[in-house]
Amino acid sequence: MKKKLCCRLLSGGMAALLLTGCGNSSSGTVTAADSAASSESSEAADTAATEASTDTASDENVEIQVFIAASLSDVMDELASKYQESHPNVTITFNADSSGKLMTQIEEGYACDVFFSAAQKQMDELEDQGLVVDGTRHNVVNNQLVVITYKDSGTKVTGLENIGDATSIALADGSVPVGKYTRVAMVNAGLLESRDDPSTYTTEEISEALGGVEISEQSNVSKVLSAVSEHSCEVGTTYYSDVYGHEDDVDILQTVSYDLSGNIIYPIAQIVNDEATDAETAAAADFEAYVLSDGAKDVFTTYQFDTNVTD
């Protein structure tokens, strides 16, 4: 029997944070009730939820397990809430964490119907293992790496090129997509020596390469943002989309070019779940279609994601 993770339950447009049985998932993400989306994006989400429904969806009460990268928490809360206004029979349980941890949980047999990753690597590995439903994988959005600091920090850092001048850095570990992209950017910027897999650079190695600066290793992108916004670290690297709604707490020092980090593509796919009923499988397909709809793209744009991507 596959294990289920009870993390954040959204039903009939209402959000609740369930803290028990969450394993490695983040319990500090923002719920739909706290999401600060504009009225324009909400209207777009309403339209998308209505138009994206497939013929296979039914009115049977179902629950689907949706694993999402932590950086998607806010936008997915809004999309799910709006989706459920026209699909009140569908309960959406989110499990939000780093894509690497989510991949491991899927490999270990945790029940998952839809996986929305912050990087291609994790989806590639699951696909190689036959855990991705054929024909359901699609690229949804692109993101961008940013160097941030807390408001009025007075930091000397202007970007990656002199990030070692900080008193402390919040940095995701190499298994986390934002940590991998940071390491790739550091290699391309000449801060780290080239190697086949930059994600293997340890925190200690990066600290040494940057002159011994203190680095606080974080397990996902949301924790990097918190470490900086709460003044625990002077600077950090996160995604452009994560700064949305936190403009009063942090400043962007640099938006890192794709030439340094590479594209940061987020793929989505249905995951093989042998214990799912036909109605649950249909609901998962319907929700994925909604996330891929034109109306949903407008909402992603509001949250600072780039939707100009191709499969």
Side-chain angles (χ1 to χ4, degrees), residues 147-155 157 228-229 233-236 249-253:
V147 181
I148 61 171
T149 188
Y150 57 84
K151 283 288 185 181
D152 302 319
S153 69
T155 182
V157 176
V228 175
S229 64
C233 293
E234 184 177 320
V235 301
D249 303 315
V250 298
D251 285 323
I252 294 176
L253 298 172

Side-chain angles (χ1 to χ4, degrees), residues 289-310:
Y290 161 58
V291 172
L292 294 168
S293 68
D294 288 340
K297 285 183 179 180
D298 292 337
V299 181
F300 281 115
T301 300
T302 298
Y303 283 83
Q304 316 296 356
F305 287 95
D306 178 9
T307 60
N308 186 25
V309 297
T310 58

Side-chain angles (χ1 to χ4, degrees), residues 171 173 183 192 195 200-217:
L171 180 66
D173 71 65
R183 287 160 171 78
L192 299 175
R195 62 173 57 172
T200 60
Y201 266 107
T202 66
T203 301
E204 291 75 16
E205 289 175 319
I206 296 173
S207 174
E208 182 178 353
L210 296 179
V213 61
E214 177 186 340
I215 298 180
S216 176
E217 184 175 288

Side-chain angles (χ1 to χ4, degrees), residues 8-21:
R8 294 185 303 125
L9 187 65
L10 284 134
S11 177
M14 299 297 292
L17 185 62
L18 304 185
L19 299 180
T20 58

Side-chain angles (χ1 to χ4, degrees), residues 29-32 34-42 70-79 143-144 146 148 151 221-222 225-226 229 238-252 255 298-306:
T29 50
V30 181
T31 64
D34 296 323
S35 186
S38 68
S39 59
E40 180 180 352
S41 68
S42 296
S71 54
L72 291 164
S73 295
D74 288 355
V75 65
M76 290 300 288
D77 276 335
E78 180 180 344
L79 289 176
N143 214 334
Q144 201 155 9
V146 293
I148 61 171
K151 283 288 185 181
V221 67
S222 297
L225 179 64
S226 295
S229 64
T238 183
Y239 294 131
Y240 183 53
S241 64
D242 280 82
V243 180
Y244 178 80
H246 298 275
E247 293 85 356
D248 291 338
D249 303 315
V250 298
D251 285 323
I252 294 176
T255 301
D298 292 337
V299 181
F300 281 115
T301 300
T302 298
Y303 283 83
Q304 316 296 356
F305 287 95
D306 178 9

Side-chain angles (χ1 to χ4, degrees), residues 167-200:
T167 57
S168 58
I169 303 171
L171 180 66
D173 71 65
S175 70
V176 181
V178 72
K180 171 196 169 184
Y181 290 122
T182 298
R183 287 160 171 78
V184 169
M186 285 181 169
V187 168
N188 289 330
L191 300 175
L192 299 175
E193 295 291 332
S194 179
R195 62 173 57 172
D196 291 339
D197 185 1
S199 67
T200 60

